[in-house]
Amino acid sequence: MRYNRLGQSGLFVSELCLGTMTFGGADDMWGQIGKLQQEEADSLLKTALDSGINFIDTANIYATGKSEEILGQSLKNVGVARESVVVATKVHGPMGEGPNARGSSRGHILDQAKASLKRLQLDHIDLYQIHGFDPATPMSETLEALDTLVRQGYVRYLGLSNWAAWQVVKAVGITEARHLAPIVSLQAYYSVGGRDLERELVPMLESERIGLMVWSPLAGGFLSGKFDREGKTAEGRRVNFDFPPIDKDRAYAAIDVMRSIAAEKGCTVPQIALAWLLHQKVVTSIILGAKNSGQLSDNIGAAEVTLSSEDLSALDAVTQLPAEYPGWMIERQSEYRAHMLHSK
């Protein structure tokens, strides 16, 4: 297991992260994703820790708090030292019926941070992330509330999730101008079958040196190799929960290439999809969600898969995004001076 620096912070996290969205679901949307209870969650956590994973991600909204509760108890049951794990959680989604029981207002953030700490049975959160953009709350209010939590010692580092590039850069500007705790990471969807963030987010992350945590690296299971163009499918949450949206023609093309590479290397299709992400310079850590230890172990095996330049080129050829403005114009006009960067 390799460990990467999270953004510009001094925190190092494993390149693979245990996701807990499969913990605690019932007969609702969360149940379609996963219904793992305490004993099963303990087994997953132990498998992750034994492989060298030190990074665990959850959110207050997962199973309406139950995921955090199960994770907190798992950390106790497994007996891992607090300083050996990096625990990340998120705030933004509705946690009650009232209009103030959601979003990124100062009140909601401060209340939910304390609620998450109680559910997790921890005295601090290593990485606290805003789970989505709140158009009803001034960004400065959100960032100042997060800074308060850092100064009080309840939170160590701050991150965002599912924000647009311009929103992240605006947040960075506010934190720098007001000397607030910095944004060190962005959690976003990325996969070999869904490369949309390469248009604006990747250049921004590289420019601002913000770490990238990838969610749904297998596109909700679509890139597992269980789906084909003829409509034949195996069991999986994608069957009943078709998310995230994906260009399926492009994804099928990627699966065809990944099957060929996997056969040649003697590994699985999911391992190739995850290995592709691990070969992307912008990626800090990939969040793995699993329903059993066998599935998690297979995914962890991706860390041992090395893709050649020919493998990467073959996948790039079938999944590359079509050119869009202003990207194609920026590339064209950059030619005037880009060559000068390499001159002595």
Side-chain angles (χ1 to χ4, degrees):
M1 187 66 60
R2 291 171 290 268
Y3 300 88
N4 298 319
R5 185 182 175 202
L6 188 63
Q8 295 189 70
S9 75
L11 182 67
F12 282 79
V13 297
S14 49
E15 63 183 347
L16 299 177
C17 172
L18 177 63
T20 65
M21 196 161 61
T22 56
F23 291 10
D27 294 326
D28 53 11
M29 181 193 78
W30 301 110
Q32 295 180 32
I33 297 170
K35 296 182 178 181
L36 302 189
Q37 298 306 308
Q38 196 64 59
E39 185 175 348
E40 299 163 306
D42 291 355
S43 177
L44 277 187
L45 179 60
K46 187 175 187 308
T47 297
L49 294 173
D50 288 346
S51 74
I53 288 175
N54 74 340
F55 199 15
I56 310 162
D57 180 72
T58 187
N60 64 346
I61 197 174
Y62 294 166
T64 321
K66 190 65 177 177
S67 173
E68 287 183 328
E69 289 180 4
I70 292 175
L71 172 58
Q73 190 59 47
S74 283
L75 292 169
K76 299 287 186 183
N77 293 347
V78 173
V80 61
R82 178 66 184 92
E83 64 272 15
S84 297
V85 290
V86 177
V87 179
T89 191
K90 301 182 282 292
V91 60
H92 172 73
M95 295 298 290
E97 297 299 324
N100 293 313
R102 62 200 65 209
S104 303
S105 68
R106 180 177 181 84
H108 187 60
I109 289 173
L110 297 183
D111 287 346
Q112 286 303 309
K114 293 178 181 178
S116 287
L117 286 168
K118 182 178 180 179
R119 287 189 289 263
L120 289 165
Q121 302 182 57
L122 300 176
D123 63 359
H124 72 272
I125 297 164
D126 295 296
L127 177 65
Y128 202 40
Q129 306 156 96
I130 300 297
H131 208 166
F133 184 73
D134 180 1
T137 300
M139 196 179 288
S140 57
E141 178 180 333
T142 298
L143 297 171
E144 287 175 353
L146 293 173
D147 182 73
T148 296
L149 290 171
V150 172
R151 292 180 186 278
Q152 291 177 341
Y154 294 118
V155 169
R156 299 282 173 85
Y157 297 96
L158 304 176
L160 305 171
S161 180
N162 303 316
W163 282 35
W166 72 265
Q167 294 166 340
V168 176
V169 172
K170 182 177 179 179
V172 168
I174 292 173
T175 60
E176 291 180 349
R178 303 192 182 194
H179 304 290
L180 305 176
I183 302 300
V184 302
S185 66
L186 175 71
Q187 187 173 146
Y189 166 61
Y190 191 23
S191 76
V192 69
R195 298 171 57 181
D196 305 61
L197 87 170
E198 293 179 5
R199 296 194 189 282
E200 298 287 344
L201 284 167
V202 167
M204 179 277 298
L205 293 171
E206 292 177 339
S207 170
E208 303 303 317
R209 293 193 291 169
I210 292 173
L212 174 62
M213 297 168 62
V214 175
W215 62 261
S216 204
L218 298 179
F222 196 91
L223 300 175
S224 65
K226 300 175 182 178
F227 297 79
D228 59 37
R229 289 185 177 85
E230 285 68 46
K232 298 177 183 178
T233 62
E235 291 184 1
R237 70 177 174 90
R238 187 95 200 193
V239 176
N240 300 313
F241 189 57
D242 196 15
F243 184 84
I246 189 171
D247 184 322
K248 293 182 179 178
D249 287 337
R250 194 179 302 150
Y252 282 132
I255 291 170
D256 289 341
V257 174
M258 289 192 294
R259 282 192 176 124
S260 175
I261 297 174
E264 179 184 321
K265 295 184 180 295
C267 61
T268 65
V269 170
Q271 287 175 340
I272 298 298
L274 296 170
W276 181 86
L277 282 167
L278 290 174
H279 281 70
Q280 305 308 306
K281 182 180 178 182
V282 72
V283 173
T284 302
S285 188
I286 300 171
I287 300 171
L288 303 177
K291 292 186 177 181
N292 56 66
S293 293
Q295 184 184 54
L296 179 60
S297 294
D298 181 83
N299 288 348
I300 291 171
E304 303 300 321
V305 177
T306 300
L307 299 179
S308 66
S309 57
E310 291 78 12
D311 296 331
L312 294 170
S313 294
L315 286 168
D316 185 64
V318 296
T319 63
Q320 192 170 50
L321 297 173
E324 286 187 357
Y325 180 84
W328 52 260
M329 194 62 180
I330 291 173
E331 182 178 359
R332 182 183 180 89
Q333 293 182 316
S334 293
E335 294 174 358
Y336 300 147
R337 287 172 59 82
H339 68 282
M340 298 174 69
L341 295 174
H342 307 293
S343 62
K344 294 183 179 179

